[in-house]
Amino acid sequence: MKLTLNVWRQDGPGDSGRMVRYEMPDVNPDMSFLEMLDLLNEGLIEKGEEPVSFDHDCREGICGACGVMIDGRAHGPLPGTTTCQLHMRHYKDGDELTIEPWRSAAFPVVKDLVVDRAAFDRIIEAGGYVSVNTGSAPDANLTPVPKDVADNAFDAATCIGCGACVAQCPNGAAQLFTSAKVSHLGLLPQGQTERWRRVRHMVATMEDEAFGSCTNFTECEAACPKGISIDFIAQMNRDFVRARFRDPEADD
Amino acid sequence: MELDAKIPSGPIHEKWDRHRFDMKLVNPANKRKFDVIVVGSGLAGASASATLAELGYNVKCFCFQDSPRRAHSIAAQGGINAAKNYQNDGDSVFRLFYDTVKGGDFRSREANVHRLAQVSVNIIDQAVAQGVPFAREYSGLLDNRSFGGAQVSRTFYARGQTGQQLLLGAYQALARQIGTGKVRMFPRTEMLDIVVIDGQARGIITRDLVTGKLERHAGDAVVLATGGYSNVFYLSTNAKGCNVTAVWRAARRGALFANPCYTQIHPTCIPASGDYQSKLTLMSESLRNDGRIWVPQKPGDDRVAGQIPEGERDYYLERRYPAFGNLVPRDVASRNAKNMVDEKRGVGPTKIGVYLDFKDAIGRDGKNAIEARYGNLFEMYERITGEDPYSAPMRIYPAPHYTMGGLWVDYNLMTNIPGLYAIGEANFSDHGANRLGASALMQGLADGYFVLPYTIGDHLARHLGEGLVSTDDAAFQAAEEGVHRRTERLLGIDGSRTVDSFHRELGRLCWENCGMSRNRAGLEAAVARIPELKEEFENDVKVLGSAESFNQSLEKAGRLEDFFELAELMCYDALERRESCGGHFREEHQTEDGEALRDDENFQYVAAWEFKGQGETPTLHKEPLEFEYVKPSQRSYK
Ligand SMILES: Cc1cc2nc3c(=O)[nH]c(=O)nc-3n(C[C@H](O)[C@H](O)[C@H](O)COP(=O)(O)OP(=O)(O)OC[C@H]3O[C@@H](n4cnc5c(N)ncnc54)[C@H](O)[C@@H]3O)c2cc1C
Ligand code: FES
């Protein structure tokens, strides 16, 4: 099939960037979206033009590297699907597509469709862990975890850190990402000792980064390729309030 | 060159304990005087970096992705083995050791494998304490399953995302140390050379992938945790960025490369659908528990599956292996699928595939039961192929998946270059000629959490007071200039073909001649053709853009150049190993029924290759293998 692409090209953080139009005369419906971009790039290189940069690695929907705005939707039109798992059979001959990078103050553009998501790592570094040194763990079956609790924690833990939640949020807020990690660890018995400290530090770091604030648009949940629920945001907010009284280190 | 594996003396179950006692220790106050470089942030690299930092060492960790959390380990699905015997079904450290040695077709080192089985239990404890949400029973205790034909249930799993959850656990431990400042993390940074001074590893040269800047990093030891090289085949189940560059740069500096021809082909992957195919997707092996594999009896049969009557189907695995049927080991299942395609009995639009049919299972257990078991896999299949596997059989075909070969290391996981270590899939150590399912995650974490952090101390203790080498040293300068010249050369070729077009061609060549089955003529042809293709690449590749910017084509070009050299060595090794074992099947060496035929008398050794320069014959060093506890026997699945 034939497609027309409008692709965001930007040489680097200093460049103001522009939309460039490309005609794709022969797209196979069985291709993945990224294979379609590969095809575009092979053609560009042969013509002596620099290929479009985009992040990707696993191409299986699990590493969280890929992710572009397709016609204004993070990861495109299909629910629960990363860009790499989207296939061209969901488009039809003659379609025109607009492809842009995540747009968020906290995720500056590196080049073309590639953005810098290091702010996410800094949130985890602030407290998204259990402080257990290698070797000091007790036997794994010493602490039973009720299956429903484990399953709920798992639902939060499936976050792939792609940034679609931030990209889709009109405010560019990172609440869904942060709450997924806060809840994953906060639900499990292993995460209790640091529960209050963790939520305070992670939220503080999130607020120090250039993310916006959450005003309950719920767009994040709809855009999340892993179906992370906004219930976790409510849970994080509750924990955050309680932490002011529970965390002995809290000074406010 | 003398290859000393440094295996401790004593009975096998005491070796590791004794060794830990015999090794030199670095006292806590002195640990902060040492800087350790860890290249890689997958299970092996992240766990090692975090643990070394907890111990007090200063760590620099590098990865090419934008975040350490995205390392290829994230994609592992099935599970991780450990000899916990929580199911009380007869498992033990010795049984896991035994299964692994046997599964590796008697081509691994007993002492290493036993240690792996011993520390496997600690991995699960550590992961659970970190908050890894393994599957649980209603009792709240951990669930296990049997995996890859094991007779005991020793596999721990986290839905179909075990690698993701284990990696996030290791990443969190790493993030904690980055937060304390004990680890300095360098994402989007690629190691392009290692610096060896007076025979010791002293540092690395890296390229900042965003700015293109080359940098020198000195370290008291260098650890490579950079994963496997399945992408030499271009199409594999590995992530697109997986590459051999770090390991190959070490090989070019004198590190021996062991058993490059031991590659694992996974039988249940979704077949390629066209020339544009960029990677292959693995479908969990568990599907073989209920799916029946078949092809039409008649070559060239063009009818759709539903129109081929029962009597004209060949359930070839059930026919040939009545005892194991569809559950034969990976290599046997893969090779048989290839034979069917070679006999022109392949299915699907490309005719390169076989059916995996759930009709009988659905008839027996009902659609709901099958959906409960495999729903997410069926959905993934439909997403990729656009076909509904509930109503028509799936199509599957084998794909390169894992590489047992890698840098030669001794019992301490140190290469033959003092101060240079290799852990995880990057080394050759524990899986012999074939890796069992759910054992790679175990090995990566065993190396990173529980082995390397001890053994590296023994080396560092001997170098206390030496201090870091200055990065102004002539060796650093020369290495950096080498990287710079190489980059400029690649950019200057300005030919007519893309990097990917060469990579596809190399991949096809390796797949056809050094894939599921190999023979002398094919390997000789590949050994002759690969250097020619590399020369064409060096004269005709087109890499646009500059060295001083984010440039993905340049990254790919450098990696492919290293794959060419590795590919040649892989074929050499396959040619030289005139026997069949594990994943290495030489057509000349098979039993009358077409099964792999080992030659223990002549080939019971590790082939450790010394790279002698481009176009030169590599030198083979042999490490003989001894089997004291598990006596070599012929595998049989009839
Ligand atoms: C689809 C799939 C499913 C699997 N399922 C299972 C399973 O169920 N159970 C199991 O046990 N095993 C499984 N495996 C195998 C297992 O996932 C891998 O063997 C293992 O994760 C490898 O871990 P690693 O830490 O050695 O390397 P990787 O996870 O590959 O990490 C390599 C690291 O090195 C870095 N790196 C590489 N080169 C450079 C360079 N030049 N400069 C800087 N950084 C570099 C990368 O950025 C990355 O951080 C599976 C593999 C695949 C492909
Ligand atoms: S490339 Fe890994 S999630 Fe898309």
Short mmCIF file of all heavy atoms in Angstrom, two decimals, chain A residues 164-216:
data_model
loop_
_atom_site.label_atom_id
_atom_site.label_comp_id
_atom_site.label_asym_id
_atom_site.label_seq_id
_atom_site.Cartn_x
_atom_site.Cartn_y
_atom_site.Cartn_z
N ALA A 164 5.19 7.02 27.58
CA ALA A 164 3.95 7.37 26.87
C ALA A 164 2.99 8.15 27.76
O ALA A 164 2.30 9.06 27.31
CB ALA A 164 3.26 6.09 26.36
N CYS A 165 2.98 7.81 29.06
CA CYS A 165 2.07 8.48 30.00
C CYS A 165 2.36 9.98 30.05
O CYS A 165 1.45 10.80 30.02
CB CYS A 165 2.20 7.85 31.39
SG CYS A 165 3.89 7.61 31.98
N VAL A 166 3.65 10.30 30.10
CA VAL A 166 4.04 11.71 30.17
C VAL A 166 3.73 12.39 28.84
O VAL A 166 3.21 13.50 28.79
CB VAL A 166 5.56 11.82 30.47
CG1 VAL A 166 6.02 13.27 30.43
CG2 VAL A 166 5.88 11.17 31.81
N ALA A 167 4.02 11.68 27.75
CA ALA A 167 3.84 12.26 26.42
C ALA A 167 2.36 12.55 26.14
O ALA A 167 2.02 13.54 25.49
CB ALA A 167 4.39 11.32 25.36
N GLN A 168 1.47 11.69 26.64
CA GLN A 168 0.05 11.87 26.34
C GLN A 168 -0.61 12.87 27.28
O GLN A 168 -1.62 13.48 26.94
CB GLN A 168 -0.67 10.51 26.43
CG GLN A 168 -2.01 10.47 25.72
CD GLN A 168 -1.86 10.60 24.20
OE1 GLN A 168 -1.06 9.91 23.60
NE2 GLN A 168 -2.62 11.50 23.60
N CYS A 169 -0.05 13.07 28.45
CA CYS A 169 -0.66 13.95 29.45
C CYS A 169 -0.59 15.41 29.00
O CYS A 169 0.49 15.89 28.67
CB CYS A 169 0.07 13.79 30.79
SG CYS A 169 -0.50 14.96 32.04
N PRO A 170 -1.71 16.10 28.97
CA PRO A 170 -1.68 17.51 28.57
C PRO A 170 -0.75 18.34 29.46
O PRO A 170 -0.21 19.35 29.02
CB PRO A 170 -3.13 17.96 28.75
CG PRO A 170 -3.95 16.72 28.71
CD PRO A 170 -3.09 15.64 29.27
N ASN A 171 -0.52 17.89 30.70
CA ASN A 171 0.38 18.61 31.60
C ASN A 171 1.81 18.06 31.58
O ASN A 171 2.69 18.61 32.22
CB ASN A 171 -0.10 18.52 33.05
CG ASN A 171 -1.50 19.07 33.22
OD1 ASN A 171 -1.95 19.89 32.41
ND2 ASN A 171 -2.20 18.61 34.24
N GLY A 172 2.01 16.95 30.91
CA GLY A 172 3.33 16.31 30.94
C GLY A 172 3.69 15.81 32.33
O GLY A 172 4.84 15.92 32.78
N ALA A 173 2.71 15.23 33.03
CA ALA A 173 2.96 14.76 34.39
C ALA A 173 3.48 13.33 34.40
O ALA A 173 3.18 12.55 33.50
CB ALA A 173 1.67 14.85 35.21
N ALA A 174 4.27 13.00 35.45
CA ALA A 174 4.88 11.66 35.53
C ALA A 174 4.27 10.84 36.66
O ALA A 174 4.90 9.92 37.17
CB ALA A 174 6.39 11.80 35.72
N GLN A 175 3.04 11.16 37.04
CA GLN A 175 2.42 10.47 38.17
C GLN A 175 2.23 8.98 37.93
O GLN A 175 2.42 8.19 38.83
CB GLN A 175 1.06 11.11 38.49
CG GLN A 175 1.06 11.98 39.74
CD GLN A 175 1.74 13.31 39.52
OE1 GLN A 175 2.14 13.65 38.40
NE2 GLN A 175 1.89 14.09 40.58
N LEU A 176 1.85 8.61 36.72
CA LEU A 176 1.57 7.19 36.49
C LEU A 176 2.86 6.37 36.63
O LEU A 176 2.88 5.33 37.28
CB LEU A 176 0.93 6.96 35.12
CG LEU A 176 0.33 5.56 34.93
CD1 LEU A 176 -0.83 5.31 35.89
CD2 LEU A 176 -0.12 5.32 33.49
N PHE A 177 3.92 6.86 36.02
CA PHE A 177 5.21 6.17 36.11
C PHE A 177 5.65 6.05 37.57
O PHE A 177 6.00 4.97 38.05
CB PHE A 177 6.28 6.92 35.30
CG PHE A 177 7.68 6.42 35.55
CD1 PHE A 177 8.15 5.29 34.90
CD2 PHE A 177 8.52 7.07 36.45
CE1 PHE A 177 9.43 4.80 35.14
CE2 PHE A 177 9.81 6.59 36.70
CZ PHE A 177 10.26 5.46 36.04
N THR A 178 5.65 7.17 38.27
CA THR A 178 6.17 7.19 39.65
C THR A 178 5.31 6.31 40.56
O THR A 178 5.81 5.54 41.38
CB THR A 178 6.22 8.63 40.18
OG1 THR A 178 6.88 9.43 39.21
CG2 THR A 178 6.96 8.71 41.50
N SER A 179 3.99 6.41 40.37
CA SER A 179 3.11 5.65 41.26
C SER A 179 3.22 4.16 41.00
O SER A 179 3.01 3.35 41.91
CB SER A 179 1.65 6.10 41.08
OG SER A 179 1.15 5.69 39.83
N ALA A 180 3.54 3.78 39.77
CA ALA A 180 3.68 2.35 39.49
C ALA A 180 4.81 1.77 40.34
O ALA A 180 4.67 0.71 40.95
CB ALA A 180 3.95 2.12 38.01
N LYS A 181 5.93 2.47 40.42
CA LYS A 181 7.05 1.94 41.22
C LYS A 181 6.76 2.06 42.71
O LYS A 181 7.01 1.13 43.48
CB LYS A 181 8.35 2.70 40.86
CG LYS A 181 9.61 2.16 41.51
CD LYS A 181 9.80 0.66 41.36
CE LYS A 181 10.13 0.23 39.94
NZ LYS A 181 10.13 -1.23 39.78
N VAL A 182 6.18 3.19 43.13
CA VAL A 182 5.83 3.35 44.55
C VAL A 182 4.89 2.23 44.98
O VAL A 182 5.05 1.63 46.05
CB VAL A 182 5.19 4.75 44.78
CG1 VAL A 182 4.50 4.81 46.14
CG2 VAL A 182 6.23 5.84 44.66
N SER A 183 3.92 1.91 44.14
CA SER A 183 2.93 0.90 44.52
C SER A 183 3.50 -0.51 44.45
O SER A 183 3.23 -1.33 45.32
CB SER A 183 1.71 0.99 43.60
OG SER A 183 1.17 2.29 43.67
N HIS A 184 4.26 -0.77 43.40
CA HIS A 184 4.87 -2.10 43.28
C HIS A 184 5.58 -2.45 44.58
O HIS A 184 5.36 -3.50 45.18
CB HIS A 184 5.82 -2.11 42.07
CG HIS A 184 6.88 -3.17 42.08
ND1 HIS A 184 8.09 -3.02 41.45
CD2 HIS A 184 6.93 -4.39 42.66
CE1 HIS A 184 8.83 -4.10 41.62
NE2 HIS A 184 8.15 -4.95 42.36
N LEU A 185 6.43 -1.57 45.05
CA LEU A 185 7.21 -1.89 46.26
C LEU A 185 6.40 -1.66 47.53
O LEU A 185 6.57 -2.39 48.51
CB LEU A 185 8.51 -1.07 46.27
CG LEU A 185 9.46 -1.37 45.10
CD1 LEU A 185 10.67 -0.45 45.12
CD2 LEU A 185 9.91 -2.83 45.11
N GLY A 186 5.52 -0.68 47.50
CA GLY A 186 4.74 -0.36 48.69
C GLY A 186 3.71 -1.41 49.04
O GLY A 186 3.27 -1.52 50.19
N LEU A 187 3.31 -2.21 48.06
CA LEU A 187 2.32 -3.25 48.32
C LEU A 187 2.94 -4.50 48.93
O LEU A 187 2.30 -5.24 49.65
CB LEU A 187 1.63 -3.64 47.00
CG LEU A 187 0.56 -2.68 46.48
CD1 LEU A 187 0.27 -2.96 45.01
CD2 LEU A 187 -0.72 -2.81 47.31
N LEU A 188 4.21 -4.74 48.64
CA LEU A 188 4.84 -5.99 49.06
C LEU A 188 5.41 -5.87 50.47
O LEU A 188 5.89 -4.80 50.85
CB LEU A 188 5.99 -6.35 48.09
CG LEU A 188 5.56 -6.75 46.68
CD1 LEU A 188 6.79 -6.84 45.77
CD2 LEU A 188 4.81 -8.07 46.70
N PRO A 189 5.38 -6.97 51.22
CA PRO A 189 5.97 -6.90 52.57
C PRO A 189 7.43 -6.45 52.55
O PRO A 189 7.87 -5.72 53.42
CB PRO A 189 5.84 -8.33 53.11
CG PRO A 189 5.25 -9.16 52.04
CD PRO A 189 4.78 -8.28 50.94
N GLN A 190 8.16 -6.87 51.49
CA GLN A 190 9.58 -6.53 51.42
C GLN A 190 9.80 -5.02 51.33
O GLN A 190 10.88 -4.52 51.64
CB GLN A 190 10.23 -7.20 50.20
CG GLN A 190 10.41 -8.70 50.32
CD GLN A 190 9.14 -9.48 50.00
OE1 GLN A 190 8.11 -8.92 49.60
NE2 GLN A 190 9.18 -10.79 50.21
N GLY A 191 8.79 -4.31 50.86
CA GLY A 191 8.98 -2.87 50.64
C GLY A 191 8.51 -2.01 51.80
O GLY A 191 8.57 -0.77 51.71
N GLN A 192 8.04 -2.62 52.90
CA GLN A 192 7.39 -1.83 53.96
C GLN A 192 8.37 -0.94 54.73
O GLN A 192 8.04 0.20 55.04
CB GLN A 192 6.65 -2.75 54.94
CG GLN A 192 5.47 -3.45 54.33
CD GLN A 192 4.55 -2.50 53.56
OE1 GLN A 192 4.09 -1.49 54.09
NE2 GLN A 192 4.32 -2.79 52.30
N THR A 193 9.55 -1.45 55.03
CA THR A 193 10.47 -0.69 55.90
C THR A 193 10.72 0.71 55.35
O THR A 193 10.79 1.67 56.11
CB THR A 193 11.81 -1.45 56.03
OG1 THR A 193 11.51 -2.81 56.28
CG2 THR A 193 12.67 -0.87 57.13
N GLU A 194 10.84 0.81 54.03
CA GLU A 194 11.19 2.11 53.45
C GLU A 194 10.00 2.79 52.79
O GLU A 194 10.17 3.75 52.03
CB GLU A 194 12.30 1.91 52.40
CG GLU A 194 13.60 1.44 53.00
CD GLU A 194 14.55 0.92 51.93
OE1 GLU A 194 14.29 -0.17 51.38
OE2 GLU A 194 15.55 1.60 51.65
N ARG A 195 8.81 2.30 53.08
CA ARG A 195 7.64 2.74 52.33
C ARG A 195 7.43 4.27 52.37
O ARG A 195 7.23 4.90 51.35
CB ARG A 195 6.41 2.05 52.91
CG ARG A 195 5.11 2.42 52.23
CD ARG A 195 4.03 1.47 52.64
NE ARG A 195 2.73 1.90 52.16
CZ ARG A 195 1.60 1.27 52.49
NH1 ARG A 195 1.63 0.22 53.29
NH2 ARG A 195 0.45 1.71 52.01
N TRP A 196 7.53 4.84 53.55
CA TRP A 196 7.20 6.27 53.68
C TRP A 196 8.32 7.14 53.15
O TRP A 196 8.09 8.15 52.50
CB TRP A 196 6.87 6.58 55.14
CG TRP A 196 5.95 5.54 55.70
CD1 TRP A 196 6.22 4.63 56.67
CD2 TRP A 196 4.60 5.28 55.26
NE1 TRP A 196 5.15 3.81 56.88
CE2 TRP A 196 4.14 4.18 56.03
CE3 TRP A 196 3.75 5.84 54.31
CZ2 TRP A 196 2.86 3.65 55.87
CZ3 TRP A 196 2.48 5.31 54.16
CH2 TRP A 196 2.04 4.23 54.93
N ARG A 197 9.51 6.73 53.44
CA ARG A 197 10.67 7.46 52.95
C ARG A 197 10.69 7.42 51.41
O ARG A 197 10.94 8.41 50.74
CB ARG A 197 11.91 6.75 53.51
CG ARG A 197 13.19 7.42 53.25
CD ARG A 197 14.31 6.71 54.04
NE ARG A 197 15.58 7.26 53.63
CZ ARG A 197 16.28 6.78 52.62
NH1 ARG A 197 15.83 5.74 51.94
NH2 ARG A 197 17.42 7.35 52.27
N ARG A 198 10.43 6.24 50.88
CA ARG A 198 10.47 6.05 49.43
C ARG A 198 9.52 7.01 48.73
O ARG A 198 9.89 7.73 47.80
CB ARG A 198 10.11 4.61 49.08
CG ARG A 198 10.01 4.34 47.58
CD ARG A 198 9.60 2.90 47.26
NE ARG A 198 10.41 1.93 47.96
CZ ARG A 198 9.95 1.07 48.85
NH1 ARG A 198 8.66 1.02 49.15
NH2 ARG A 198 10.76 0.23 49.46
N VAL A 199 8.28 7.04 49.19
CA VAL A 199 7.29 7.85 48.47
C VAL A 199 7.65 9.33 48.58
O VAL A 199 7.54 10.09 47.62
CB VAL A 199 5.84 7.55 48.95
CG1 VAL A 199 5.61 7.97 50.38
CG2 VAL A 199 4.82 8.21 48.03
N ARG A 200 8.14 9.76 49.72
CA ARG A 200 8.50 11.18 49.87
C ARG A 200 9.64 11.54 48.91
O ARG A 200 9.59 12.54 48.21
CB ARG A 200 8.96 11.46 51.30
CG ARG A 200 7.78 11.66 52.26
CD ARG A 200 8.18 12.36 53.54
NE ARG A 200 9.50 12.00 54.02
CZ ARG A 200 10.55 12.84 53.99
NH1 ARG A 200 10.42 14.08 53.56
NH2 ARG A 200 11.72 12.43 54.43
N HIS A 201 10.67 10.70 48.89
CA HIS A 201 11.83 11.04 48.06
C HIS A 201 11.52 10.96 46.58
O HIS A 201 11.96 11.82 45.80
CB HIS A 201 13.00 10.11 48.39
CG HIS A 201 13.61 10.40 49.72
ND1 HIS A 201 14.88 10.02 50.06
CD2 HIS A 201 13.13 11.05 50.80
CE1 HIS A 201 15.15 10.42 51.30
NE2 HIS A 201 14.10 11.04 51.77
N MET A 202 10.76 9.96 46.19
CA MET A 202 10.47 9.83 44.76
C MET A 202 9.58 10.96 44.27
O MET A 202 9.80 11.52 43.19
CB MET A 202 9.84 8.46 44.46
CG MET A 202 10.85 7.31 44.61
SD MET A 202 10.13 5.70 44.27
CE MET A 202 9.89 5.80 42.48
N VAL A 203 8.58 11.30 45.08
CA VAL A 203 7.69 12.40 44.66
C VAL A 203 8.46 13.72 44.62
O VAL A 203 8.31 14.52 43.69
CB VAL A 203 6.45 12.47 45.59
CG1 VAL A 203 5.66 13.74 45.33
CG2 VAL A 203 5.58 11.25 45.39
N ALA A 204 9.34 13.92 45.60
CA ALA A 204 10.12 15.17 45.62
C ALA A 204 10.98 15.27 44.36
O ALA A 204 11.06 16.33 43.73
CB ALA A 204 10.99 15.22 46.87
N THR A 205 11.60 14.18 43.99
CA THR A 205 12.45 14.21 42.80
C THR A 205 11.61 14.44 41.55
O THR A 205 11.98 15.22 40.66
CB THR A 205 13.26 12.90 42.67
OG1 THR A 205 13.99 12.73 43.87
CG2 THR A 205 14.19 12.93 41.49
N MET A 206 10.48 13.77 41.49
CA MET A 206 9.58 13.97 40.34
C MET A 206 9.21 15.45 40.21
O MET A 206 9.22 16.01 39.12
CB MET A 206 8.31 13.12 40.55
CG MET A 206 7.27 13.30 39.49
SD MET A 206 5.79 12.32 39.86
CE MET A 206 5.00 13.36 41.08
N GLU A 207 8.95 16.07 41.37
CA GLU A 207 8.54 17.48 41.31
C GLU A 207 9.69 18.41 40.94
O GLU A 207 9.48 19.47 40.36
CB GLU A 207 7.89 17.88 42.64
CG GLU A 207 6.49 17.25 42.74
CD GLU A 207 5.79 17.46 44.07
OE1 GLU A 207 6.47 17.89 45.04
OE2 GLU A 207 4.58 17.19 44.13
N ASP A 208 10.92 17.98 41.27
CA ASP A 208 12.08 18.79 40.90
C ASP A 208 12.37 18.73 39.41
O ASP A 208 13.04 19.61 38.86
CB ASP A 208 13.33 18.29 41.64
CG ASP A 208 13.33 18.76 43.08
OD1 ASP A 208 12.50 19.64 43.40
OD2 ASP A 208 14.13 18.23 43.87
N GLU A 209 11.97 17.65 38.76
CA GLU A 209 12.19 17.54 37.31
C GLU A 209 11.16 18.40 36.59
O GLU A 209 10.23 18.92 37.21
CB GLU A 209 12.07 16.08 36.86
CG GLU A 209 13.09 15.14 37.51
CD GLU A 209 14.49 15.27 36.91
OE1 GLU A 209 14.64 15.88 35.83
OE2 GLU A 209 15.45 14.77 37.55
N ALA A 210 11.28 18.49 35.28
CA ALA A 210 10.42 19.41 34.54
C ALA A 210 9.04 18.82 34.19
O ALA A 210 8.41 19.24 33.22
CB ALA A 210 11.14 19.86 33.27
N PHE A 211 8.59 17.83 34.96
CA PHE A 211 7.25 17.27 34.69
C PHE A 211 6.18 18.25 35.17
O PHE A 211 6.39 19.02 36.09
CB PHE A 211 7.08 15.94 35.44
CG PHE A 211 8.02 14.87 34.97
CD1 PHE A 211 9.06 14.44 35.77
CD2 PHE A 211 7.87 14.29 33.71
CE1 PHE A 211 9.95 13.45 35.35
CE2 PHE A 211 8.74 13.30 33.28
CZ PHE A 211 9.78 12.88 34.09
N GLY A 212 5.00 18.15 34.56
CA GLY A 212 3.88 18.97 35.00
C GLY A 212 3.18 18.32 36.18
O GLY A 212 3.61 17.28 36.69
N SER A 213 2.08 18.92 36.63
CA SER A 213 1.38 18.31 37.76
C SER A 213 0.12 17.61 37.26
O SER A 213 -0.42 17.93 36.21
CB SER A 213 1.06 19.36 38.81
OG SER A 213 0.50 20.48 38.19
N CYS A 214 -0.33 16.67 38.06
CA CYS A 214 -1.44 15.82 37.65
C CYS A 214 -2.77 16.48 37.97
O CYS A 214 -3.01 16.87 39.11
CB CYS A 214 -1.31 14.49 38.39
SG CYS A 214 -2.72 13.39 38.20
N THR A 215 -3.62 16.64 36.95
CA THR A 215 -4.94 17.21 37.22
C THR A 215 -6.03 16.24 36.74
O THR A 215 -7.10 16.65 36.31
CB THR A 215 -5.11 18.59 36.53
OG1 THR A 215 -4.75 18.46 35.15
CG2 THR A 215 -4.24 19.64 37.18
N ASN A 216 -5.73 14.96 36.84
CA ASN A 216 -6.71 13.90 36.58
C ASN A 216 -7.34 13.88 35.19
O ASN A 216 -8.52 13.64 35.04
CB ASN A 216 -7.83 13.95 37.62
CG ASN A 216 -7.31 13.62 39.00
OD1 ASN A 216 -6.49 12.72 39.14
ND2 ASN A 216 -7.73 14.39 39.99
#
